[in-house]
Amino acid sequence: MAGNSNGNRLLAAENLEIAYGAIQVVWGVSLSVSRGKVVSIIGPNGAGKTTTLRALAGLVPARKGKIFFNGLDVTSKPAHERVRQHLSLIPEGRQLWPRMTVEENLLMGAFSPPLRPKAHENLERVYEMFPRLKERARQVCGTLSGGEQQMCAIGRGLMSEPLLLLLDEPSQGLAPILVDQVFQMIRRIAAQGVTILLAAQNTDYALEISHYAYVMEWGRVALEGSSEELRASDHVRRAYLGATA
């Protein structure tokens, strides 16, 4: 974890081991995220990226290891308590309520009682960032395009005023032009000071927008380094960036 200084560390995972029943899927993963940075976890499908993010968010328990967020040990804290501490996960596949309107979905991001007093103020901030959502405020989410649904999912995550935003495969299933738009959104969010941990198979985009990255393979961290260092890595270039020599 040399790329993230301890003094400015917002999130740290130490030797995480995660299993679904008797089947272990993550072995000894350690990573950290410094305040104000964008960090990526890249790797193939099935590498353990989503499981790692779900454990950091409190949705699956860690069999071993520790998770520290904003100076506190949150390893045993449930997901709703981590949300109250301003750790927000935008899950793979968006997971919106398709029969609810855009605005109703966004307001669910402020469902936690401590967040409710500022819900409408934060809603206006989301609309300012994503004017398209304001145009679609009364439209049910199931009728939105894929890009608009991803925009809504990101907006819902921002409703909790996150210190750290966990983004799981934000470009999954989107057309190439929409992928570019989604990563532009992520850039804008980062520019506002939100710390981001991004899991993505789209290695090129992920390394382009992040400061530091971890390569996960077979449930373990195989490589880590600055995004520039990983772009120059022969293994990353051949396995993930399409280089042939």
Side-chain angles (χ1 to χ4, degrees):
M1 294 189 287
N4 294 290
S5 61
N6 288 350
N8 202 30
R9 192 171 64 182
L10 180 60
L11 175 80
E14 299 178 356
N15 299 310
L16 284 187
E17 300 200 356
I18 308 164
Y20 294 107
I23 302 173
Q24 187 163 341
V25 292
V26 170
W27 287 264
V29 166
S30 295
L31 58 83
S32 69
V33 183
S34 294
R35 294 177 191 274
K37 300 296 185 181
V38 179
V39 175
S40 292
I41 305 174
I42 60 175
N45 189 37
K49 303 184 303 296
T50 290
T51 296
T52 298
L53 287 196
R54 285 173 58 82
L56 296 174
L59 295 174
V60 295
R63 175 179 282 182
K64 292 182 180 178
K66 293 285 187 181
I67 300 169
F68 298 93
F69 177 64
N70 202 21
L72 300 174
D73 184 346
V74 298
T75 310
S76 61
K77 299 292 184 185
H80 69 272
E81 289 194 20
R82 299 187 201 191
V83 172
R84 288 183 181 182
Q85 293 172 11
H86 303 284
L87 191 160
S88 180
L89 170 68
I90 298 170
E92 181 181 20
R94 301 181 277 277
Q95 296 185 22
L96 299 169
W97 286 273
R99 296 184 182 180
M100 292 170 61
T101 66
V102 167
E103 189 158 300
E104 288 168 341
N105 270 276
L106 291 173
L107 288 172
M108 289 302 291
F111 183 78
S112 179
L115 296 169
R116 292 177 194 174
K118 295 181 68 177
H120 287 282
E121 178 183 340
N122 289 333
L123 184 65
E124 288 306 313
R125 289 178 182 168
V126 170
Y127 284 155
E128 184 177 345
M129 182 174 288
F130 304 126
R132 179 68 62 86
L133 294 182
K134 190 166 187 177
E135 295 172 9
R136 302 283 193 267
R138 302 290 180 262
Q139 187 171 332
V140 294
C141 276
T143 63
L144 298 178
S145 70
E148 289 168 341
Q149 288 185 10
Q150 187 60 64
M151 196 181 297
C152 188
I154 293 173
R156 182 181 60 188
L158 293 173
M159 288 290 292
S160 64
E161 301 180 335
L163 293 173
L164 175 64
L165 198 61
L166 306 176
L167 274 163
D168 191 8
E169 299 289 0
S171 63
Q172 184 184 55
L174 298 181
I177 190 170
L178 296 178
V179 171
D180 188 61
Q181 291 175 9
V182 165
F183 279 95
Q184 287 179 21
M185 287 181 223
I186 297 169
R187 282 185 186 275
R188 293 207 308 271
I189 294 165
Q192 293 188 4
V194 178
T195 305
I196 295 172
L197 178 59
L198 163 74
Q201 288 186 62
N202 194 320
T203 301
D204 198 21
Y205 273 105
L207 291 179
E208 183 179 330
I209 68 168
S210 59
H211 302 93
Y212 198 84
Y214 297 85
V215 180
M216 283 193 72
E217 297 175 350
W218 302 104
R220 294 177 169 86
V221 173
L223 287 171
E224 66 173 278
S226 71
S227 295
E228 291 81 5
E229 290 170 340
L230 291 186
R231 272 190 177 278
S233 159
D234 286 342
H235 176 68
V236 172
R237 289 177 65 249
R238 291 172 180 165
Y240 304 112
L241 296 175
T244 56

